[in-house]
Amino acid sequence: MSPTHTDVRSLVGAALETPVPADEYDRCPVTEVMRLMSDKWTVIVLVLLGRQPYRFNELHRAIDGISQRMLTRTLRGLESAGLVLREVHPTVPPSVEYRLTPLGQSLLGPLSGLADWAVTNEAALAAGRHPVAAATSSGPH
Amino acid sequence: MSPTHTDVRSLVGAALETPVPADEYDRCPVTEVMRLMSDKWTVIVLVLLGRQPYRFNELHRAIDGISQRMLTRTLRGLESAGLVLREVHPTVPPSVEYRLTPLGQSLLGPLSGLADWAVTNEAALAAGRHPVAAATSSGPH
DNA sequence: CCGAATCCTGGACGATACTG
DNA sequence: CAGTATCGTCCAGGATTCGG
């Protein structure tokens, strides 16, 4: 198992001179995870399911603006990644429950780290570019 | 300044019953950050610039498969978010250097957390769905 | 209640050519 | 060297309809 990473060098290997091969970049686990989370609804679904299991329509009502189609697609994506478990209860009418798998739960930690950063730096981001000490060697005279 | 978040509840407020308003979700800082990072090249550019400053064509050569157009767009996006600083040196021929701002640097930490998770769970993700203790106790065969 | 099938639009992305 | 302009393709995502 990998030791703790202190940076994201896993993405680029150890290459400084070597260009990142397009193929390797495409199959990099970091890239894959970003692809998975980068659609419009996956994160919010992940967060909600992190709090409690939901039935399909509960989720549909809980997320304002999502269509049935996109909820289904989002859940399928998470399911096939092993982050969400789909449980069908053979009742009448049928009900389907979705919950996070342990793997899905474990993603909430890192995701929370990113969320924390986003909230902390919300102001700086909203400001567009923030006031950094621009250090051209010519210097502000 | 916000206290430390232990989960991503900042995204959903405190609402369990209340549906997440589409508008609020759209302007949530977490959503914005995900939007920023969710294109094909932003993450790798961020990572490379985290190691050292790059000139435009250095970056172009370092990332296999990226087009000039997309590199420009990616850098513009990062710049307008305040994560990357663009420095024009009035030499002949002109050279432009890109480096991370302190804000950009600070993003590498949380990003690294996600990368670490991705590498750690690469196997489980590659397997599609992982062998979780399924509710159906009926084993294989 | 849960979801698949179909149609449509906008934006991401790539390739190529051109410019100061 | 560091871009911009233009064109074409592909796919995420919304609306709607149908099925089990």
Side-chain angles (χ1 to χ4, degrees):
Chain A
M1 180 178 301
S2 306
T4 302
H5 291 65
T6 53
D7 66 349
V8 260
R9 83 185 53 223
S10 57
L11 220 176
V12 292
L16 261 180
E17 318 293 340
T18 311
V20 182
D23 184 64
E24 176 185 333
Y25 175 51
D26 246 39
R27 292 189 317 230
C28 168
V30 184
T31 304
E32 306 255 15
V33 169
M34 286 307 297
R35 245 201 302 270
L36 179 67
M37 315 249 313
S38 66
D39 66 88
K40 190 171 179 179
W41 303 108
T42 292
V43 172
I44 183 66
V45 168
L46 219 41
V47 168
L48 287 176
L49 290 180
R51 311 191 73 177
Q52 64 175 62
Y54 274 86
R55 294 184 38 200
F56 185 89
N57 271 359
E58 280 177 346
L59 220 40
H60 193 197
R61 280 187 297 270
I63 305 175
D64 190 37
I66 196 174
S67 62
Q68 281 191 355
R69 170 185 156 88
M70 288 317 295
L71 181 53
T72 301
R73 284 171 66 99
T74 302
L75 287 168
R76 289 286 178 279
L78 287 169
E79 193 191 353
S80 75
L83 300 182
V84 159
L85 184 64
R86 180 174 184 266
E87 257 172 316
V88 182
H89 297 106
T91 59
V92 180
S95 77
V96 183
E97 250 196 1
Y98 295 92
R99 68 182 70 247
L100 291 192
T101 63
L103 186 63
Q105 301 262 357
S106 73
L107 177 54
L108 292 182
L111 192 56
S112 178
L114 203 63
D116 196 20
W117 182 92
V119 172
T120 300
N121 300 284
E122 183 178 5
L125 286 166
R129 64 185 62 187
H130 66 143
V132 63
T136 56
S137 52
S138 50
H141 109 355
Chain B
M1 169 158 44
S2 306
T4 302
H5 290 67
T6 53
D7 67 347
V8 261
R9 84 182 55 219
S10 57
L11 219 173
V12 292
L16 261 178
E17 318 294 338
T18 311
V20 181
D23 184 64
E24 175 185 336
Y25 175 49
D26 245 38
R27 293 189 316 230
C28 169
V30 185
T31 304
E32 306 255 16
V33 170
M34 287 307 297
R35 245 201 302 270
L36 179 67
M37 316 250 313
S38 66
D39 65 87
K40 190 172 179 179
W41 302 109
T42 292
V43 171
I44 183 67
V45 168
L46 220 40
V47 168
L48 287 177
L49 290 181
R51 311 191 74 178
Q52 63 173 61
Y54 275 86
R55 293 183 38 200
F56 185 88
N57 271 359
E58 282 179 344
L59 220 39
H60 193 197
R61 280 188 297 271
I63 305 175
D64 190 37
I66 196 174
S67 63
Q68 282 191 357
R69 169 184 154 88
M70 288 317 294
L71 181 53
T72 299
R73 284 171 66 98
T74 303
L75 288 168
R76 290 286 179 279
L78 286 169
E79 193 192 353
S80 76
L83 300 180
V84 159
L85 184 65
R86 181 175 183 265
E87 257 173 315
V88 182
H89 299 286
T91 60
V92 180
S95 76
V96 182
E97 250 196 1
Y98 293 92
R99 71 180 67 249
L100 291 192
T101 62
L103 186 63
Q105 300 261 358
S106 73
L107 177 54
L108 292 182
L111 193 56
S112 178
L114 204 63
D116 195 21
W117 182 89
V119 172
T120 301
N121 299 285
E122 183 177 4
L125 287 166
R129 62 184 64 189
H130 65 146
V132 63
T136 61
S137 55
S138 56
H141 144 292

